[in-house]
Amino acid sequence: GFVFDFFSNSLKIENNQTFVNPDTAVGVAKIDYTGIPTGFQKVTLKINNAEDLDGQIETYLRDIYPVISNKAVEEIQSSKSINKFITDAQTGAVDIYLNFNVPLYYLEDRPDILWELNLPQFESSIFQIYNNDTILIDTWPNVIGKPSTKTYTGNYAAFRLRNWPTWKDPEAEPESPATPPGPGNPLGLFVVHYDENSLRYLHGTNKNGLLKNEYRALSHGCVRNLNENVAKLKSFVCKRIVRSKDLTWWINSKKSMIYELSEEDKFPVRIIYKLFDVNKDEFGMYVVFFKDVYGYSRGASYSKFDDPNLFTFISPENIFNELKKEYPTYKADDKLLQLIPNLAESHTDYQKYYFDDILNDTTGK
C-alpha cells in the first residue's frame, strides 16, 4: 500500500498501510477496507478540509503517475468517500480522511512502460506492462517527419534525456547560431533520444497549434509532442522510470542538461507503420483507416533504418486477423465479412466505420 504525505508531496511504500499520516491517524482503523474491487487499492489521504475533493484526488494521482489520462482520473474520482472522526470532543476538532480506489498498476514502485507511435495515425500510445498484460494509459497526438525527412520504424530504447535543449536547424549553414533553450525553442523543454542511428527523437514544440492539424507529417524526422504532454513525460520519467539516480530535481529546472540513461532505466520505444486500426469505444466496434503518408503501400522504398516487420497495410486478411487477435470473442456477422473488402478499397481516411452502422446501412434499417 501507499503512505502519502499530502502536505509534503512525498510518496513512500509501506506494508499494507494506506494512511497519510500514521502518527496522527486517530480512528483510521474504523475505515472500511472491505469490498475493494479486484485489482484495486484503497488509498486514504488525511486532508485539511472537505473542499474540492476531486481536485485533491487529481493532485495526488498526477504526483505519483504524471502521465495518467483525464478519463482515468475521472473514473478514480467517482469512487471517493469521506470519513470524519472527532479527535477532541471539547473543541470539536475533526480528522478528515479521503478514500478512493486506485488500480494497482498505477501504484507500482517502478512501472514498466512502452511508448508506441503509429506513424500514419499521427498518434502515440503509452502502455504499461503489468502482470503480463499491456494496459493502455493514454494516447497523444504527434507531428512526424515529412515524406522527404521520414520518421523511421523500429524497436528502440530511450537512451538519453535533454532538459531545456538548444537547437540548430539541420539545414542551416554551419556558422549559423543555435536557438537557445526556452519556450521559443523548436525542441520544446525536454527531449528523449531513442534512435542512435539517426537524428530522430521525441521532444516538445514551439508550435503547439500544429498538433491540432489532421495531417501532421511536418517535421525534419523527429517526433513532436504537445508541450503539456512532454512535460508530463519528463515528470514521469524523472520520478518513476529513472531510479539509478535521483533526477526529480530536473522537473522544475530550467538548466540545460544531458543525462545518459543506464541500462536499467532505459524504456522501449516502438514506431510502427500501420494503415488501419480495429478498435471499440462507447458507440461500438469500428475500423478506421489512415493515410499512407510515405507511400509505402504504393511501392515507395523503405530506408536502411526502417524495420520491415513493423509495417501493416490495408487488406481484408489483415483486418480480419486484427479483429481476431484483439477481440477473439467478437463474432463477426457474415455480411460484415463480405463488406470489409469493399470498405478496404473505398473509404475516407481517419473516419471511424462502425460495424453496426455498416450492417444497418446495407440492410436498409
Side-chain angles (χ1 to χ4, degrees):
F2 277 76
V3 178
F4 183 74
D5 186 341
F6 188 77
F7 308 108
S8 67
N9 247 11
S10 63
L11 176 70
K12 58 182 179 178
I13 309 296
E14 297 285 343
N15 292 329
N16 298 318
Q17 298 294 309
T18 55
F19 313 134
V20 163
N21 190 342
D23 297 329
T24 60
V26 179
V28 171
K30 297 179 183 178
I31 294 176
D32 183 10
Y33 287 95
T34 62
I36 302 172
T38 302
F40 286 76
Q41 167 87 38
K42 178 169 281 190
V43 172
T44 298
L45 307 181
K46 186 180 180 183
I47 58 178
N48 282 332
N49 58 71
E51 298 176 0
D52 190 21
L53 298 179
D54 284 346
Q56 296 189 58
I57 293 172
E58 182 170 5
T59 297
Y60 166 81
L61 293 172
R62 296 201 184 280
D63 183 74
I64 66 165
Y65 206 99
V67 294
I68 191 170
S69 69
N70 293 336
K71 181 180 179 181
V73 170
E74 292 171 1
E75 290 174 349
I76 293 170
Q77 288 169 336
S78 69
S79 70
K80 66 181 177 291
S81 64
I82 283 185
N83 292 93
K84 297 181 180 180
F85 302 101
I86 296 177
T87 57
D88 189 321
Q90 293 184 338
T91 64
V94 175
D95 278 351
I96 307 173
Y97 294 91
L98 173 60
N99 317 296
F100 47 93
N101 298 329
V102 179
L104 289 171
Y105 51 86
Y106 289 124
L107 305 178
E108 278 283 281
D109 180 45
R110 188 171 189 170
D112 292 323
I113 67 164
L114 164 66
W115 194 93
E116 181 180 89
L117 165 66
N118 183 18
L119 293 169
Q121 193 174 3
F122 306 121
E123 188 173 273
S124 57
S125 299
I126 298 174
F127 296 99
Q128 183 174 342
I129 313 303
Y130 178 77
N131 284 351
N132 296 318
D133 193 10
T134 303
I135 301 168
L136 177 62
I137 300 300
D138 203 1
T139 57
W140 294 351
N142 297 110
V143 165
I144 67 169
K146 296 177 291 187
S148 59
T149 52
K150 299 178 178 66
T151 304
Y152 306 129
T153 62
N155 285 298
Y156 306 97
F159 65 92
R160 180 183 299 143
L161 309 177
R162 291 167 62 194
N163 190 58
W164 279 66
T166 58
W167 176 81
K168 188 169 182 177
D169 187 339
E171 299 175 356
E173 295 297 327
E175 63 274 11
S176 299
T179 303
N185 191 297
L187 298 183
L189 308 180
F190 188 63
V191 176
V192 176
H193 288 252
Y194 65 84
D195 185 356
E196 299 189 67
N197 295 314
S198 69
L199 293 175
R200 270 97 174 126
Y201 25 83
L202 318 174
H203 61 78
T205 182
N206 63 342
K207 297 179 180 178
N208 254 11
L210 293 180
L211 276 298
K212 297 179 174 63
N213 293 347
E214 180 178 81
Y215 180 81
R216 298 194 291 273
L218 304 167
S219 81
H220 289 104
C222 286
V223 182
R224 302 179 194 173
N225 295 264
L226 288 169
N227 284 328
E228 53 264 37
N229 284 341
V230 86
K232 293 176 187 176
L233 182 63
K234 172 184 173 181
S235 183
F236 186 72
V237 169
C238 292
K239 282 184 177 182
R240 305 299 301 279
I241 302 299
V242 178
R243 303 301 294 273
S244 60
K245 184 176 181 179
D246 181 10
L247 288 189
T248 55
W249 65 279
W250 273 41
I251 295 170
N252 297 315
S253 174
K254 294 184 179 180
K255 184 179 178 181
S256 186
M257 298 175 287
I258 298 177
Y259 179 71
E260 303 289 335
L261 291 172
S262 66
E263 286 299 320
E264 63 180 300
D265 293 332
K266 293 179 178 180
F267 61 90
V269 173
R270 180 164 60 213
I271 299 183
I272 65 175
Y273 197 94
K274 184 164 171 277
L275 288 175
F276 69 91
D277 184 41
V278 176
N279 214 320
K280 66 177 179 180
D281 58 20
E282 65 271 25
F283 300 109
M285 193 84 68
Y286 65 86
V287 60
V288 57
F289 302 93
F290 310 122
K291 180 179 177 63
D292 184 8
V293 291
Y294 294 160
Y296 289 129
S297 69
R298 302 188 300 274
S301 299
Y302 306 151
S303 81
K304 64 180 181 179
F305 299 112
D306 281 305
D307 183 343
N309 296 312
L310 297 176
F311 290 82
T312 307
F313 299 126
I314 297 170
S315 72
E317 181 181 11
N318 285 341
I319 295 171
F320 297 152
N321 289 340
E322 175 93 355
L323 180 60
K324 188 183 302 182
K325 176 184 174 183
E326 298 296 331
Y327 302 99
T329 61
Y330 181 79
K331 303 299 182 184
D333 188 287
D334 287 342
K335 292 180 180 178
L336 177 64
L337 298 180
Q338 294 170 9
L339 292 167
I340 288 295
N342 292 333
L343 194 59
E345 285 292 325
S346 179
H347 57 262
T348 300
D349 291 333
Y350 304 101
Q351 175 178 316
K352 292 180 179 179
Y353 290 90
Y354 288 92
F355 293 166
D356 287 345
D357 290 344
I358 295 170
L359 290 170
N360 288 340
D361 285 345
T362 59
T363 57
K365 294 182 180 179

